[in-house]
Amino acid sequence: MRVALTGGSSGIGAEVARKLAELGHEVTAFDITEPQVSVADWIKTDLSDPGSIQAATDAVSGKYDALINNAGLPPRDGLEEVILKVNWFGLRRFMAGLLDKLEPGAAIVNTASRAGAMWRENIAEVKALMALEPEKLSNFIQERGIDATRAYNLSKEAVIVMTMAETENLIARNLRMNSVSPAAVSTGILKDFAAAFGDRMVKNVARAGRPGLPEEVAEVIVFLASPESGWIKGQDVTIDGGMSAMSVSDKLDL
């Protein structure tokens, strides 16, 4: 396979790149930082900058068998606008620029998050974000009092909803798309999530026994990008060591 991967320089993305390379696949990494793992090509890309995205997608030659939208920012105070620019607007713009450069039957995999699990309860705000013109983002954040944690959660809610909403359109183009929603994962940004989600995350990790490993998430992403998962379409796959199941069990008194 020939695979386009955003965010391949660290964490889950680096593990995805490594696993794909081990399997003999050709990886083009789109990232602001050059990957340390071996990839066929690196195209410097800043997903917060529409011009950089345009230049990156214009630089692509040939077709890809899979697109993995993995790049993203964690919840950090003061970065509300950048989080939404990268995690939502940048992902969507980059994907739009690559759709015509995907082979028939290609797979798209989006890295969402368990933090986006409340999309049903927040669907009105999710739809408002999805319909928002990028230049109005700053006002949107101010009017709704969106802090960094909400910006992150909202971005991932939108990714999950978009994955479902675009399924039929992509089927018509002989493409398919799924998302993955990891919970706490042992990467360099785990501390950001601990600061954002506090005791709730600590308790969930304790109940699961440990945080996830980036290679465990990468394995699922690689499977969803492969032909072996061809009949899985429009799904969000939660990867959380049982945290969601335990939460539901608590709520239903099972």
Side-chain angles (χ1 to χ4, degrees):
M1 289 196 306
R2 189 166 185 249
V3 182
L5 167 69
T6 68
S9 67
S10 62
I12 293 168
E15 283 299 318
V16 170
R18 183 180 65 79
K19 288 184 179 294
L20 287 169
E22 287 177 352
L23 292 168
H25 302 307
E26 179 185 332
V27 179
T28 301
F30 298 83
D31 203 318
I32 199 166
T33 304
E34 184 173 5
Q36 298 303 302
V37 296
S38 179
V39 295
D41 194 15
W42 167 54
I43 298 177
K44 188 171 184 178
T45 312
D46 179 356
L47 287 181
S48 71
D49 179 2
S52 177
I53 294 171
Q54 185 68 53
T57 55
D58 286 348
V60 167
S61 60
K63 298 269 190 173
Y64 291 100
D65 302 293
L67 164 61
I68 300 172
N69 292 307
N70 174 77
L73 293 178
R76 289 178 183 166
D77 288 340
L79 294 183
E80 295 81 9
E81 189 166 342
V82 182
I83 290 167
L84 285 165
K85 281 183 176 179
V86 171
N87 295 8
W88 169 244
F89 290 102
L91 182 153
R92 185 174 63 174
R93 183 183 292 270
F94 183 84
M95 185 175 71
L98 274 198
L99 279 184
D100 289 337
K101 300 179 182 183
L102 297 178
E103 293 280 9
I108 302 170
V109 186
N110 303 318
T111 300
S113 170
R114 186 169 179 259
M118 298 289 286
W119 63 266
R120 293 174 182 83
E121 292 81 354
N122 297 318
I123 191 63
E125 188 164 61
V126 172
K127 287 182 177 180
L129 176 69
M130 293 173 73
L132 188 69
E133 296 175 10
E135 58 270 20
K136 296 181 179 178
L137 177 59
S138 180
N139 288 339
F140 180 86
I141 290 170
Q142 292 176 6
E143 290 169 359
R144 292 172 180 265
I146 293 174
D147 61 12
T149 300
R150 180 61 194 140
Y152 180 81
N153 293 357
L154 177 58
S155 72
K156 298 304 184 178
E157 290 166 358
V159 169
I160 293 170
V161 171
M162 183 266 292
T163 299
M164 293 184 293
E166 290 298 319
T167 292
E168 188 167 8
N169 291 335
L170 291 177
I171 287 174
R173 299 180 63 153
N174 195 16
L175 301 171
R176 63 189 180 90
M177 180 162 60
N178 294 288
S179 61
V180 298
S181 282
V185 180
S186 289
T187 67
I189 58 175
L190 183 60
K191 62 183 181 297
D192 291 295
F193 295 102
F197 301 119
D199 290 343
R200 181 167 48 128
M201 192 192 90
V202 172
K203 291 176 182 176
N204 283 337
V205 170
R207 292 181 77 181
R210 62 171 175 82
L213 302 176
E215 54 265 37
E216 292 172 322
V217 180
E219 286 169 354
V220 180
I221 292 174
V222 170
F223 170 67
L224 290 174
S226 72
E228 287 78 12
S229 62
W231 198 235
I232 303 176
K233 303 179 182 185
Q235 299 300 305
D236 180 59
V237 180
T238 303
I239 312 169
D240 67 0
M243 295 179 195
S244 296
M246 288 184 282
S247 176
V248 171
S249 181
D250 289 346
K251 290 177 182 177
L252 299 180
D253 193 25
L254 299 178

